[in-house]
Amino acid sequence: MADSKTDKKLPNDPAGEIDTALVRQLADILNDTELTEIEVERGDLKIRVARELTVAAAPVQYAAAPVHAAPAPAAAPVSMPSDPATIVARKGEEVKSPMVGTAYLKPSPEAPPFVQAGDKVKKGQTLLIVEAMKTMNPISAPRDGVVVDIMVGDAQPVEFGEALVLLEE
């Protein structure tokens, strides 16, 4: 008489070819390992055994800060001129960075800057360049005017929309 564990066939298998012992062995392999799925092919027979993983929510942990903790040092405040005449003098059109990158005020380290404060510029004249992804992108004057201030340093990282140059008519 044959062993019932190895010769048992699945009831819905019309050909009677699926060995339940093999399916159990595959299930045991899943349980013994970190696998979530295993598949075996023998000729035309293909058996796939998979398990569904459920992830339990991790318990929420709260940590209280010590009462005696010192406050974090504040970032250096941006200096705002207190003289109203100085504030008025800063009015003008900001030329903003169209991308994230590195601003360069000179075409090369040895060359003079494209523009300096006080320079008159024409529409389309290069004010500086912004390097993004190894590409040098010239930032041009949107109109004729006078450079009031260059608001970034040479080789300084800049963000999208950051003011680079202040122009005045």
Side-chain angles (χ1 to χ4, degrees):
M1 183 177 222
D3 182 9
S4 62
K5 281 190 173 180
T6 57
D7 286 351
K8 221 184 231 183
K9 305 298 180 197
L10 295 177
N12 294 337
D13 179 23
E17 296 177 3
I18 300 175
D19 185 357
T20 57
L22 176 59
V23 174
R24 287 184 194 277
Q25 285 178 332
L26 295 174
D28 287 341
I29 291 171
L30 286 181
N31 288 334
D32 294 341
T33 64
E34 296 292 320
L35 296 173
T36 57
E37 180 177 315
I38 191 166
E39 188 172 312
V40 175
E41 280 188 58
R42 287 187 185 163
D44 291 337
L45 177 65
K46 185 186 232 183
I47 299 174
R48 179 178 165 265
V49 178
R51 66 176 163 177
E52 187 175 312
L53 293 179
T54 56
V55 178
V60 178
Q61 295 180 348
Y62 296 97
V67 176
H68 62 279
V78 175
S79 63
M80 285 295 294
S82 57
D83 180 20
T86 308
I87 294 172
V88 171
R90 297 222 17 117
K91 284 193 175 182
E93 179 181 355
E94 292 179 340
V95 178
K96 298 183 179 189
S97 179
M99 65 196 73
V100 173
T102 303
Y104 292 101
L105 304 180
K106 305 182 266 184
S108 69
E110 309 82 34
F114 288 105
V115 294
Q116 294 179 343
D119 287 355
K120 289 184 180 183
V121 295
K122 296 283 185 190
K123 180 178 181 177
Q125 181 179 340
T126 300
L127 302 172
L128 52 91
I129 53 178
V130 174
E131 177 199 3
M133 298 177 63
K134 307 274 185 197
T135 302
M136 300 299 180
N137 302 284
I139 307 301
S140 304
R143 60 176 173 77
D144 292 354
V146 176
V147 175
V148 176
D149 191 14
I150 298 172
M151 305 168 84
V152 294
D154 192 39
Q156 175 183 326
V158 294
E159 296 292 324
F160 171 79
E162 182 175 342
L164 303 172
V165 176
L166 186 64
L167 281 184
E168 189 175 64
E169 284 189 42

